[in-house]
């Protein structure tokens, strides 16, 4: 299986801060990397697919980058509704696997 | 807009079978564009992909669960189901159903709201 790691496991940030979350795959997954946002008690919501494609109604302050094994999710200016847990997921091969998540809470 | 909704018992006894159904509205499970997927999340932990089914019945499972899991689709009811045999406390968690893209780069969207299943006697 492809192992996904994320850093940091958690972070505290203030509204308006720029936030960066890193995801690393145990092998080359090209750009088959998705990002999800999950709020407490709710289902994950797709934010970004194929490493950098913003999905649906996701705000433009979210952006993704990377390819191969190293990926980044950036929130350019953190908003109150952005607090929650962010998880990466590789869709390069089954079994699809997720990172452990990065919890973003209020400083 | 498509919506998915999980249903099933919230409490299952150890060694028994966990059975959940995902009802799809606003779209058809017969579409050849999508896979229909189950994902779970133990409390306080990360997400685990369980497996998927296509409308034609073709399945793919996580090898870690393959010996115990069956996913099936019922096009007449526009729903798909999960059966997990011989459950233990380690199978406790929130179970989600989701749609997965069959062509191109897979991704899960939308998701059901999730249903908590507790394995306990």
């Amino acid at each position: 299986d492809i192992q996904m790691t994320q850093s940091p496991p958690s972070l505290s940030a203030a509204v308006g801060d720029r936030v960066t979350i890193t995801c690393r795959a145990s092998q080359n997954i090209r750009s088959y990397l998705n990002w999800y946002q999950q709020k407490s008690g709710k289902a994950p919501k797709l934010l970004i697919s194929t490493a950098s494609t913003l999905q649906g109604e996701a705000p433009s302050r979210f952006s993704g980058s990377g390819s191969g094994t190293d990926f980044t999710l950036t929130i350019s200016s953190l908003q109150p509704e952005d607090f929650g847990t962010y998880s990466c997921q590789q869709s390069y091969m089954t079994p699809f696997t997720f990172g452990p998540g990065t919890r973003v809470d209020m400083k | 807009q498509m919506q998915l909704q999980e249903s099933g018992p919230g409490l299952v006894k150890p060694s028994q079978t966990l059975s959940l159904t995902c009802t799809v509205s606003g779209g058809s499970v017969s579409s050849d564009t999508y896979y229909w997927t189950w994902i779970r999340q133990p409390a306080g932990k990360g997400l685990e992909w369980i497996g998927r089914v296509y409308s034609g019945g073709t399945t793919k499972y996580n090898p870690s669960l393959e010996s115990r899991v069956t996913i099936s689709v019922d096009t007449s009811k526009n729903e798909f189901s999960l059966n997990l045999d011989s459950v233990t406390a380690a199978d406790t968690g929130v179970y989600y159903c989701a749609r997965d893209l069959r062509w191109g780069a897979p991704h899960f969207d939308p998701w059901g709201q999730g249903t908590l299943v507790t394995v306990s006697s």
Side-chain angles (χ1 to χ4, degrees), chain A residues 69-85:
Chain A
T69 60
D70 294 316
F71 301 87
T72 299
L73 173 69
T74 300
I75 309 173
S76 61
S77 177
L78 193 69
Q79 298 302 301
E81 60 268 31
D82 300 337
F83 293 101
T85 299

Side-chain angles (χ1 to χ4, degrees), chain A residues 76-97:
Chain A
S76 61
S77 177
L78 193 69
Q79 298 302 301
E81 60 268 31
D82 300 337
F83 293 101
T85 299
Y86 293 84
S87 298
C88 59
Q89 175 246 329
Q90 65 82 14
S91 59
Y92 181 70
M93 63 185 296
T94 61
F96 299 136
T97 47

Side-chain angles (χ1 to χ4, degrees), chain A residues 10-28:
Chain A
S10 65
L11 65 90
S12 296
V15 172
D17 283 354
R18 182 181 181 88
V19 170
T20 299
I21 298 169
T22 298
C23 175
R24 177 164 288 175
S26 61
Q27 66 182 72
N28 186 349

Side-chain angles (χ1 to χ4, degrees), chain A residues 24-42:
Chain A
R24 177 164 288 175
S26 61
Q27 66 182 72
N28 186 349
I29 59 170
R30 295 165 60 186
S31 294
Y32 290 89
L33 191 284
N34 304 316
W35 288 100
Y36 299 87
Q37 177 194 60
Q38 187 174 22
K39 298 187 179 180
S40 181
K42 301 294 186 182

Side-chain angles (χ1 to χ4, degrees), chain A residues 1 32 34 36 38 41-46 49-50 55 87 89 91-92 94-100, chain B residues 39 41 45-49 52 60-64 96 100 104-109 111-114:
Chain A
D1 298 3
Y32 290 89
N34 304 316
Y36 299 87
Q38 187 174 22
K42 301 294 186 182
K45 183 177 179 181
L46 178 68
S49 67
T50 54
Q55 287 293 315
S87 298
Q89 175 246 329
S91 59
Y92 181 70
T94 61
F96 299 136
T97 47
F98 293 82
Chain B
I39 296 162
Q41 185 171 36
K45 296 187 178 180
L47 296 152
E48 180 180 32
W49 180 77
R52 69 187 184 193
K60 186 79 170 177
Y61 301 131
N62 192 321
S64 68
Y96 297 99
D100 181 14
H107 52 264
F108 306 122
D109 180 53
W111 297 57
Q113 66 184 25

